[in-house]
Amino acid sequence: NCGPRYSITDSLPYDRENTTMRFFAMCDTCNEEYSDVDKRRYYSQTNSCSDCGIAMSMFDTRNEIAHDNAVIIGKIIDALYSGKILAVKGIGGYLLLCDANNEQTIRLMRQRKHRPTKPFAVMFPDIKAIREVAFVREEEAKALHSVVAPIILLFAKKNIDDKICTKEIIPRLSRLGAMLPYTPLYDLVLSAFKRPIVATSANISDSPIVYENEDALRSLFSVADFIITNDREIVVPQDDSVMQFTKMSRQKIIIRRSRGLAPSWFNYDCQNDKTILATGALLKSTFTFVNRKNVYVSQYLGSTESYDAQCAYTKTVDHYFRLFDQLPAMILTDSHPRYFSNQFAKKTGSDFNVDVVEIQHHHAHFAAVLAENNLLCTPSVLGVVWDGTGFGDDGNIWGGEFFIYDNNCMQRSAHFSYFPFMLGDKMPREPRISALTTCTDIPAAADLLRNKFTPAEWQLYRPMRGQSALKCSSVGRIFDAVASLLNLSDRQSYEGEAAMLLQELAFKYFEQHGWIIDECYPAEDDNGISTKLLMEQIVNDVCQNKSPEFIAAKFHFSLVQIIKNMANRIAIKKIAFSGGVFVNTVLVDLLQMYLGRDFELFFHKELSPNDENVSFGQFVYYDNKIKSIKDNTVTKMELHKREAEEIINY
């Protein structure tokens, strides 16, 4: 039901002997509270006190320096004042903490953590302290105070350098990730320190959060000056949840669904009563476990590109198998053969001798948002699924897709025209390559792009565009390309950086000039949505020295117009959105402002629009096909042949 319960539970039901609290024998006072039905702490499985409860230990690089809880809290506060970095064990894992107003220490943390520009979250003593540095609206304050206690992205105020080092904490961005203390330890520390602290997951960039004491002592001294452990075991790690609200329409967007939000049970009407595992995607991975028609979506499990993340993913899946004492009778996965989730699904299917069904990435996205909004029985819904990468049915990289959902059938109706996809994982990490490929056959772009490459790269990469057999329709890569053309980012230090900087630029324009804009880049020709036509006009504006803010705003508005034109062309009034592009608050606000009056718009509610929703969508897509077959509303020929064979045979 909540972060603390999930992180300490070995098996069900949730009784003390099935949690890591079983190792702590209650004293007489605690036992009386636990056993007396009239006491407030009756049957409180985590009940403990200073006599019988959890003990902390504090270590420096050499040895243990303190083991008394009160002494350790004092030393933590002294260390923060002294500009030290601490790794402190919390509910779901270790957090790295330091003074949020110590510029030198924050720079040192970035250097040690290998995180040069990715924003840090900040923990504040109370809501009053947050309001001193950021604007907090009613819905944001409510979320901060909720039992979830998430990180909320808030607009930072100007001239607050005496209170917090915003330039070091959120480089080139206007939104600050703020949260309140969500454990008694953090509350005691912040109440005494009386200043905000940087609070970020204790790991090296791209690795999962550290949560085991031995692992912390072995690996975290490369980042932290002190490590504070405790002797209560964490069974399953969890990062902090992250969400935001758009500026104008105040639409809630979940960015990371973890502690306090996941795992959660989804009230979805299952057609199939089998135990099913859906393994999700690669980045921002989750899995969905379906047991006795109950649907559970796991917490955010990070990018499964690294070995450590793959181990954490596997361990969490195994934990579900133990919790529910069930193994899957069917496994669903992404159709990309090189995704870890696909390889894991096939190995697990082989181990358990069960069938594995592949679901196309963007079909899963669309199915997820349809299910969240109860649209599976609704005729004629336009699905706009825009993201960075997804393996398409034609073997190309999709990501700028339009689907029509009607009569339980999902059909790809349009997409951004293909451009070359080359250099594998290098392309998403270096926006300059997206700029190069999207500007193929645009002569004016050469002078803008040449200096972004070495002479050897320029000679090598340009011919590769025409030789690349792999094509791409990704709007995420188009965002990267525009960001590079505007000299915002040529090499990303974290996933999504270029798109965030482009959004930031557009937001600055709209804040200065108002949210009414009447110029867009026409992007449609006789063949559909032309990536080349769009990029030609952007290159032309850059060459004419139009302001970067104007170009960024015009680009965002043009995407809205593309959606509007598509919906009008096929005469559909219901539009559902999914994919990582729709984490963009400026784009969502523009959609609400310019389409909300004439169309019904549907966004994710309890899931993130990014790839965290893919595992849920995989199950929904499969389950809905089962329903279609049962109801005879979809014939075998209407299904993708491979899916039809596997599903009907099963």
Side-chain angles (χ1 to χ4, degrees):
N1 288 352
C2 63
R5 286 190 177 193
Y6 177 60
S7 66
I8 64 170
T9 301
D10 277 316
S11 60
L12 296 175
Y14 177 67
D15 295 325
R16 191 177 180 105
E17 61 267 24
N18 294 330
T19 73
T20 56
M21 288 302 298
R22 65 184 179 275
F23 301 112
F24 300 89
M26 286 182 284
C27 65
D28 291 342
T29 301
C30 286
N31 192 55
E32 180 184 356
E33 292 175 335
Y34 180 83
S35 304
D36 188 344
V37 69
D38 293 324
K39 298 288 187 181
R40 184 171 64 89
R41 292 181 176 175
Y42 170 70
Y43 211 60
S44 173
Q45 307 303 338
T46 55
N47 198 29
S48 62
C49 69
S50 57
D51 291 331
C52 64
I54 299 157
M56 296 191 295
S57 296
M58 186 173 188
F59 297 83
D60 63 12
T61 54
R62 294 177 298 277
N63 50 38
E64 184 177 359
I65 60 174
H67 58 267
D68 178 88
N69 287 1
V71 171
I72 290 173
I73 292 172
K75 286 184 175 293
I76 291 173
I77 295 161
D78 291 341
L80 290 171
Y81 278 123
S82 300
K84 301 299 182 182
I85 300 170
L86 303 101
V88 180
K89 187 177 182 181
I91 287 174
Y94 281 82
L95 289 186
L96 293 172
L97 311 178
C98 74
D99 184 355
N101 199 28
N102 190 319
E103 183 176 339
Q104 184 176 350
T105 302
I106 299 170
R107 285 180 179 174
L108 181 61
M109 183 187 286
R110 287 198 176 279
Q111 179 183 337
R112 291 178 176 179
K113 193 173 162 64
H114 306 299
R115 186 169 169 170
T117 57
K118 190 175 182 179
F120 285 138
V122 179
M123 187 181 292
F124 291 82
D126 50 41
I127 192 73
K128 180 182 177 182
I130 298 179
R131 292 186 189 277
E132 289 178 356
V133 301
F135 299 98
V136 185
R137 297 172 295 180
E138 181 181 354
E139 62 274 11
E140 293 161 339
K142 184 177 179 181
L144 284 164
H145 284 299
S146 70
V147 294
V148 175
I151 297 168
I152 302 292
L153 300 192
L154 305 170
F155 287 102
K157 295 180 177 179
K158 306 292 185 183
N159 303 318
I160 55 173
D161 293 341
D162 60 326
K163 295 182 175 64
I164 188 172
C165 298
T166 51
K167 290 181 181 179
E168 293 297 327
I169 294 170
I170 49 170
R172 303 170 70 186
L173 300 174
S174 61
R175 284 205 174 193
L176 173 70
M179 61 177 160
L180 294 171
Y182 56 85
T183 72
L185 173 61
Y186 298 148
D187 192 46
L188 289 168
V189 169
L190 269 295
S191 295
F193 189 57
K194 300 185 185 304
R195 283 152 58 175
I197 59 174
V198 170
T200 186
S201 299
N203 60 355
I204 305 301
S205 288
D206 297 326
S207 297
I209 187 171
V210 173
Y211 68 100
E212 294 177 317
N213 293 345
E214 290 185 5
D215 192 17
L217 294 171
R218 182 175 61 252
S219 64
L220 291 183
F221 278 122
S222 63
V223 184
D225 300 301
F226 300 100
I227 294 176
I228 294 85
T229 70
N230 67 60
D231 57 354
R232 186 176 77 171
E233 179 187 353
I234 296 173
V235 178
V236 181
Q238 286 184 303
D239 288 276
D240 296 317
S241 293
V242 184
M243 63 179 69
Q244 62 183 347
F245 295 84
T246 66
K247 178 68 181 293
M248 303 302 290
S249 61
R250 303 195 177 190
Q251 173 80 36
K252 183 178 78 171
I253 301 174
I254 295 176
I255 300 173
R256 186 168 71 197
R257 182 179 160 278
S258 195
R259 177 188 51 75
L261 290 174
S264 58
W265 168 71
F266 274 73
N267 187 19
Y268 171 77
D269 183 19
C270 297
Q271 301 300 314
N272 196 304
D273 59 1
K274 302 294 184 182
T275 300
I276 294 177
L277 172 68
T279 63
L282 179 72
L283 303 176
K284 299 174 176 62
S285 63
T286 64
F287 62 84
T288 292
F289 191 72
V290 183
N291 183 46
R292 298 182 181 179
K293 293 193 174 185
N294 294 320
V295 181
Y296 303 90
V297 182
S298 78
Q299 77 273 28
Y300 160 89
L301 293 166
S303 169
T304 50
E305 290 177 304
S306 73
Y307 174 73
D308 288 343
Q310 292 168 10
C311 291
Y313 179 100
T314 302
K315 185 173 182 178
T316 307
V317 171
D318 289 341
H319 181 58
Y320 268 65
F321 293 165
R322 291 197 310 274
L323 278 180
F324 295 98
D325 193 24
Q326 291 287 328
L327 295 176
M330 166 67 72
I331 300 176
L332 312 174
T333 191
D334 194 280
S335 57
H336 198 307
R338 293 187 180 180
Y339 279 4
F340 167 76
S341 58
N342 180 287
Q343 296 163 3
F344 174 83
K346 290 177 178 176
K347 182 182 183 305
T348 305
S350 176
D351 290 345
F352 298 153
N353 194 29
V354 299
D355 291 333
V356 176
V357 176
E358 295 181 341
I359 309 294
Q360 198 278 325
H361 186 88
H362 300 95
H363 289 167
H365 266 301
F366 190 21
V369 71
L370 287 171
E372 271 208 90
N373 290 278
N374 297 316
L375 294 172
L376 291 170
C377 296
T378 302
S380 301
V381 181
L382 174 64
V384 184
V385 185
W386 291 353
D387 61 3
T389 301
F391 188 64
D393 288 335
D394 59 2
N396 288 311
I397 303 299
W398 292 5
E401 312 310 308
F402 292 88
F403 294 94
I404 296 175
Y405 178 80
D406 198 9
N407 196 29
N408 292 323
C409 187
M410 194 179 292
Q411 182 72 36
R412 188 190 191 203
S413 59
H415 60 86
F416 279 72
S417 63
Y418 285 130
F419 51 91
F421 187 93
M422 63 187 211
L423 299 174
D425 291 342
K426 192 178 181 71
M427 185 166 167
R429 290 170 179 155
E430 298 188 16
R432 62 184 185 143
I433 297 172
S434 292
L436 184 67
T437 62
T438 56
C439 291
T440 301
D441 299 327
I442 303 177
D447 290 338
L448 302 176
L449 297 174
R450 184 179 287 106
N451 291 335
K452 298 178 183 293
F453 300 88
T454 67
E457 288 174 331
W458 188 248
Q459 292 299 318
L460 177 65
Y461 291 168
R462 290 182 74 199
M464 289 178 65
R465 296 177 299 183
Q467 300 165 4
S468 176
L470 189 61
K471 306 299 181 184
C472 180
S473 63
S474 165
V475 173
R477 299 290 76 83
I478 295 174
F479 264 87
D480 288 349
V482 177
S484 178
L485 286 170
L486 297 182
N487 296 316
L488 297 175
S489 175
D490 288 329
R491 293 177 176 85
Q492 301 191 97
S493 70
Y494 60 92
E495 197 257 337
E497 180 178 19
M500 289 174 65
L501 294 174
L502 188 61
Q503 172 190 315
E504 190 73 25
L505 212 58
F507 178 77
K508 185 181 296 185
Y509 177 87
F510 288 119
E511 284 291 282
Q512 291 175 352
H513 300 277
W515 287 75
I516 303 300
I517 184 170
D518 56 6
E519 289 191 57
C520 72
Y521 299 114
E524 289 127 312
D525 59 18
D526 293 339
N527 297 317
I529 304 166
S530 171
T531 302
K532 180 184 176 182
L533 178 60
L534 173 64
M535 298 306 295
E536 273 182 332
Q537 296 172 85
I538 293 172
V539 166
N540 186 55
D541 274 359
V542 174
C543 291
Q544 292 183 20
N545 295 317
K546 299 285 182 68
S547 79
E549 292 85 358
F550 169 75
I551 295 172
K554 187 176 176 181
F555 169 67
H556 278 74
F557 181 62
S558 300
L559 296 178
V560 175
Q561 290 299 117
I562 289 170
I563 295 171
K564 180 179 180 180
N565 293 342
M566 181 64 63
N568 283 332
R569 185 178 302 114
I570 58 180
I572 288 183
K573 291 297 185 180
K574 291 181 172 64
I575 312 175
F577 303 88
S578 190
V581 167
F582 296 104
V583 172
N584 186 316
T585 56
V586 170
L587 182 58
V588 171
D589 268 342
L590 290 172
L591 288 167
Q592 296 278 23
M593 294 170 67
Y594 287 93
L595 303 188
R597 185 172 299 176
D598 299 322
F599 301 89
E600 291 184 71
L601 308 182
F602 300 91
F603 298 89
H604 287 282
K605 296 178 178 179
E606 303 304 324
L607 294 171
S608 174
N610 64 37
D611 280 4
E612 291 181 41
N613 72 63
V614 167
S615 67
F616 177 63
Q618 287 166 350
F619 169 69
V620 171
Y621 185 86
Y622 168 81
D623 193 61
N624 200 50
K625 290 297 185 186
I626 292 292
K627 180 180 185 298
S628 301
I629 294 169
K630 288 180 178 178
D631 295 346
N632 294 319
T633 55
V634 176
T635 68
K636 182 176 177 180
M637 292 300 295
E638 287 175 304
L639 297 171
H640 291 289
K641 185 176 180 181
R642 180 180 56 198
E643 292 173 13
E645 294 287 354
E646 291 174 333
I647 292 172
I648 293 172
N649 289 341
Y650 175 68

